[in-house]
Amino acid sequence: MRITRVLSTALLALGLAAAPAAADSTPSPSASADVKVPVSAGTSFRTAAEIEQGQTATASGSTGDYMYWSFPADAKQRPTVKATLKLPQAHTGQTWQLDVYDGLRRRQACQYGAQTHTAAPGTNSLELACVLRTVRSWAEPWANDPLPGTYYVRLTAVGVKTADLGLPVSAELRVDSKNMGGAAAVDGSLSEPLVPGVSVTKAEDSKASLFSLEPEDGWDSGWWSSRWVWTGVGAILAALAGIGGYALTRGSGRPSRVPPGA
């Protein structure tokens, strides 16, 4: 009977832990309907068009131009950036490239995805994708790990022939994220996310942000993750195992042998 109660308690604890752990692995929520979707792209880092995750932004430009967007990414998210291009009738093949930079303008490597793609002459559309590494809440200063804050997307054609420069092109860009949960948690967090700012001359020394968008639930504090739940469950199970072992080994409470002459 005692063993049954021990197992029942352990299963209940595991069930309670499974809920927040499962929530950590769900995709990021869709963008708010109140945020206006940009219909043009910036021409530099400072003028990058802001988009939320879950939005599909559009832009028109010319072959040879740089197109810039920015989006917020928080700790434990693994962003996926996808771009779809509608190409003009070019004289030669065109090579397009999608680059992603963090708030410090460090180019971030893609885990997988067609980051660079060459379209043959006569191709009408082209798709590019970049799946970033999971954003960490903290990293060593010398590391190039992705950190919470603003991320930039730059889309451009590379090695364009002179005859194709200036041809019209249209693009669609979308960013989605998967929440990697406690498996991606680390000990430590940034004091502030890496959101670029500009100094403002006032009576007080202050700083205004160049970009206003942030995650729907605010920036992650960095200390909570499902790892805390599993650590607590482990401690509970260890205590229950100790109680169960004691119950199994203590017997009926009477001596197993009666001393002679008793």
Side-chain angles (χ1 to χ4, degrees), residues 53-241:
Q53 294 189 28
Q55 288 183 333
T56 300
T58 58
S60 298
S62 301
T63 305
D65 291 345
Y66 287 103
M67 290 185 278
Y68 286 86
W69 293 268
S70 67
F71 66 93
D74 206 359
K76 295 179 286 187
Q77 289 185 338
R78 188 176 67 186
T80 297
V81 183
K82 293 183 179 179
T84 302
L85 292 159
K86 293 182 179 179
L87 303 176
Q89 294 296 322
H91 298 83
T92 60
Q94 291 187 3
T95 300
W96 285 81
Q97 184 166 309
L98 179 71
D99 294 308
V100 182
Y101 300 82
D102 67 7
L104 298 177
R105 300 187 187 181
R106 302 177 302 179
R107 186 176 180 273
Q108 292 295 314
C110 301
Q111 282 188 313
Y112 50 89
Q115 185 180 5
T116 303
H117 199 173
T118 300
T123 302
N124 296 322
S125 63
L126 187 67
E127 292 186 357
L128 300 170
C130 175
V131 180
L132 294 173
R133 295 173 295 166
T134 303
V135 178
R136 295 164 57 90
S137 60
W138 178 85
E140 295 288 349
W142 46 262
N144 194 37
D145 296 317
L147 296 169
T150 299
Y151 281 76
Y152 301 98
V153 179
R154 185 176 73 182
L155 183 63
T156 187
V158 295
V160 183
K161 302 297 182 181
T162 303
D164 293 331
L165 287 173
L167 293 176
V169 63
S170 60
E172 292 184 353
L173 188 87
R174 183 180 177 89
V175 181
D176 293 291
S177 284
K178 180 178 180 181
N179 195 322
M180 304 306 291
V186 297
D187 295 327
S189 62
L190 297 179
S191 58
E192 293 182 3
L194 299 178
V195 178
V198 58
S199 296
V200 179
T201 304
K202 291 182 179 179
E204 298 179 356
D205 184 17
S206 61
K207 191 177 184 180
S209 175
L210 286 174
F211 303 99
S212 59
L213 294 183
E214 62 179 41
E216 184 177 359
D217 298 326
W219 296 105
D220 191 348
S221 61
W223 69 271
W224 168 256
S225 73
S226 60
R227 190 172 60 172
W228 287 98
V229 177
W230 292 110
T231 301
V233 171
I236 294 172
L237 292 178
L240 293 175

